[in-house]
Amino acid sequence: MDGTILSRIIFFRFAKMLDIKCLTVFISFQGGRLALQIYTSRFGTVVVKAEDVLSFAGGIPAFEHLQEFFLHPIPENPAFTWLQAAADPEVAFLLADPFLFFPGYAVELPAGVQGELNIKQPADALVYTVVTIPDGDIRQATANLVGPVVINPTARRGMQIILDGTKYTTRYPLFKE
């Protein structure tokens, strides 16, 4: 089969899977692997390996219609990364490694979450918090410690969970004054 036809078939299947309507995605093969060129409003066009796309089966609260995301690291500041929606160029969440900012932070994953994300041991899970920066003032940044984002990068699955009965808050200051 011609490579161009194969690329179009893969694109249309992938676009249908992600429910892409007006998003520009180009598919190419780099080093024998499928790569996606996804347009984002913050980062321009980003090349993402197909195996780096994460499935959030239930979406993220208030964004349930978006179920495919990828991590877009911030090279100059590894404490943060972006979680970019693959199907909507406008939707990205700034994430932080909570253990760098809150050494006593603890997340206990319910058995159902562990099963859904295929987490067999703690090393299988990456835990992030969603960061809000009010009015663009990083000094006022807060982290949602009640709703961490849990990702199993090996299984390519993720989920935002809600911690019940916790002492944490949804707007915990990231930096102490």
Side-chain angles (χ1 to χ4, degrees):
M1 182 178 287
D2 177 299
T4 304
I5 294 171
L6 180 60
S7 293
R8 287 184 183 152
I9 291 170
I10 292 170
F11 170 74
F12 288 116
R13 286 186 180 163
F14 190 77
K16 186 175 181 181
M17 177 182 77
L18 294 181
D19 194 25
I20 296 172
K21 293 181 178 48
C22 340
L23 182 65
T24 303
V25 176
F26 296 100
I27 296 181
S28 62
F29 291 93
Q30 295 183 349
R33 296 194 143 169
L34 185 63
L36 310 170
Q37 295 178 20
I38 301 174
Y39 172 74
T40 69
S41 62
R42 282 177 183 76
F43 318 112
T45 300
V46 178
V47 176
V48 180
K49 291 182 231 161
E51 62 263 24
D52 290 340
V53 175
L54 305 167
S55 174
F56 281 67
I60 290 179
F63 296 90
E64 290 84 359
H65 64 289
L66 299 171
Q67 298 184 355
E68 304 294 329
F69 293 83
F70 61 90
L71 294 174
H72 185 73
I74 303 172
E76 59 276 2
N77 196 339
F80 298 94
T81 191
W82 287 93
L83 182 66
Q84 173 69 52
D88 189 331
E90 299 293 327
V91 178
F93 301 95
L94 180 61
L95 303 180
D97 179 341
F99 307 107
L100 294 176
F101 294 94
F102 313 105
Y105 185 65
V107 175
E108 197 167 314
L109 298 178
V113 171
Q114 291 179 41
E116 192 169 334
L117 297 181
N118 199 26
I119 294 173
K120 308 273 189 245
Q121 55 191 9
D124 293 339
L126 298 175
V127 177
Y128 294 102
T129 56
V130 177
V131 175
T132 301
I133 303 175
D135 301 319
D137 185 357
I138 190 70
R139 296 169 299 174
Q140 301 300 316
T142 61
N144 179 352
L145 299 180
V146 175
V149 173
V150 182
I151 296 171
N152 179 339
T154 305
R156 299 183 352 224
R157 296 181 189 166
M159 173 186 296
Q160 184 175 26
I161 64 170
I162 306 301
L163 303 176
D164 291 325
T166 178
K167 62 182 179 186
Y168 304 121
T169 68
T170 57
R171 295 191 183 252
Y172 201 89
L174 203 57
F175 305 107
K176 295 185 181 182
E177 294 187 37

